[in-house]
Amino acid sequence: MLQSEFASIIDKPHFVDKTFMIRLIFDLLLRKPNTSKSSSSVTVFGSQLAKNDPILLTAPRRFGKTTNIDMLKCFFGGFVAKEIFRDLKIGKYEEAMKCWNKFHVVYVTFGHCCGVIESYRDGVNACRSILHKTFTNFNYIKSTLSKTNIVAFNDWVDEKKYLNKEDLEIGTGLEFLVRCVVEYSNNEKPILLLIDEFDRICSKAMFNTKNADTLNKIITFYCDMVGEAIKHESSCLTVLTGVAAITCKGLSGTNNIDYINSLNMKHLWKFTG
């Protein structure tokens, strides 16, 4: 089971119940009328539901974004018992509760990006390192993959071989992981892609890269990498968190993103801070 910040604080005296946010995400991802040109859908608890655009939740640092997205992982991926959620605020909303453990969650955080990003190579290396850490969390799916995918998957988790990954493989690495999880799922569950601290790499580059062309190259590479994963599977739903929405403008293949600024929407204040 993946480590969980949310699971570790549920029984603590300082725990604040923000699980109503699960219903908000449920409504936005699955219940809101689909206004995009795509008519794709996902199957959840036996029903065909409209797949909506990716959601980007923005808030300042230290406002609980990571804990909130970890909560979504625990609920939709079933990493915390359903009975525990029933005793929290979300337990009052039976329709949303039906979505407990109904997704295969692909969780990736760029919040662990360490070091200064001054060059294009720094940015690519940071992506490679984070993808390696993410792949290691999914070792349990390896035996279910095709022989070709097992070889490529092993290269990502190997402590030495992943360092030899070329730019093209890194650029498609997150999309490859999503494909592997889809293969593992065998279409039994839709995929929920959760990306925490989406703007961390780009913000680091903005503060440290002196050349505008280099900065644009870093942002383009990174946004293409994430965008390829978001658009690959019609059954893949996506939630991102970040401090700012600037870098989302360059996401490949994602024409519509729901921007939710926690500071501008009073009904979200109960979920953040």
Side-chain angles (χ1 to χ4, degrees):
M1 181 176 290
L2 297 175
Q3 291 183 341
S4 167
E5 180 179 346
F6 175 76
S8 68
I9 64 173
I10 292 175
D11 57 353
K12 297 293 190 295
H14 59 269
F15 173 70
V16 178
D17 187 349
K18 299 181 181 180
T19 55
F20 190 81
M21 182 181 186
I22 295 170
R23 187 191 179 194
L24 171 71
I25 298 301
F26 169 78
D27 288 340
L28 286 172
L29 281 178
L30 297 169
R31 284 302 187 215
K32 187 188 70 173
N34 190 339
T35 56
S36 65
K37 295 180 180 179
S38 171
S39 59
S40 58
S41 63
V42 297
T43 302
V44 182
F45 48 88
S47 300
Q48 287 287 324
L49 302 176
K51 175 198 170 183
N52 281 292
D53 301 318
I55 298 170
L56 173 64
L57 300 168
T58 62
R61 300 207 182 282
R62 316 306 300 175
F63 264 61
K65 296 186 300 296
T66 296
T67 302
N68 282 339
I69 202 169
D70 187 70
M71 174 183 67
L72 298 179
K73 177 188 75 176
C74 290
F75 180 82
F76 289 109
F79 295 108
V80 168
K82 190 174 187 178
E83 291 71 24
I84 293 178
F85 283 104
R86 283 204 179 278
D87 293 332
L88 300 173
K89 291 179 180 179
I90 189 60
K92 299 177 182 178
Y93 303 98
E94 191 56 39
E95 189 175 22
M97 284 296 296
K98 291 179 183 178
C99 275
W100 177 85
N101 196 26
K102 294 300 182 183
F103 290 82
H104 282 299
V105 175
V106 178
Y107 173 79
V108 54
T109 176
F110 291 93
H112 297 153
C113 175
C114 300
V116 176
I117 296 180
E118 296 180 321
S119 66
Y120 171 74
R121 187 51 46 195
D122 289 340
V124 173
N125 289 343
C127 291
R128 177 168 54 197
S129 177
I130 289 168
L131 286 174
H132 164 66
K133 292 177 182 177
T134 305
F135 269 90
T136 59
N137 290 329
F138 288 88
N139 250 328
Y140 65 91
I141 75 172
K142 188 168 56 176
S143 62
T144 67
L145 304 179
S146 66
K147 291 182 179 180
T148 301
N149 284 344
I150 288 177
V151 172
F153 193 100
N154 281 334
D155 287 348
W156 270 112
V157 299
D158 188 276
E159 293 295 332
K160 293 182 179 179
K161 288 184 178 180
Y162 91 90
L163 294 171
N164 297 322
K165 290 289 185 182
E166 301 290 341
D167 291 10
L168 180 60
E169 290 180 283
I170 299 168
T172 58
L174 187 55
E175 181 255 353
F176 173 65
L177 177 58
V178 170
R179 282 196 286 113
C180 287
V181 177
V182 170
E183 184 179 347
Y184 165 76
S185 171
N186 196 27
N187 294 319
E188 292 181 359
K189 293 181 180 180
I191 308 300
L192 179 60
L193 178 60
L194 301 177
I195 302 178
D196 191 30
E197 300 284 1
F198 164 76
D199 57 340
R200 178 63 65 88
I201 284 181
C202 294
S203 63
K204 277 177 168 282
M206 289 176 185
F207 281 110
N208 296 288
T209 303
K210 298 178 181 179
N211 183 280
D213 289 338
T214 300
L215 176 60
N216 288 332
K217 193 176 179 182
I218 294 171
I219 293 176
T220 298
F221 177 86
Y222 174 72
C223 288
D224 284 351
M225 180 188 74
V226 175
E228 286 299 315
I230 291 176
K231 75 179 183 180
H232 173 74
E233 283 291 329
S234 61
S235 63
C236 181
L237 304 171
T238 306
V239 179
L240 311 95
T241 72
V243 175
I246 299 173
T247 50
C248 270
K249 301 297 184 182
L251 277 178
S252 170
T254 53
N255 297 322
N256 302 295
I257 291 184
D258 278 334
Y259 299 101
I260 302 178
N261 187 323
S262 299
L263 296 185
N264 291 342
M265 299 182 181
K266 290 185 178 181
H267 66 285
L268 295 182
W269 292 357
K270 67 181 91 172
F271 307 137
T272 57

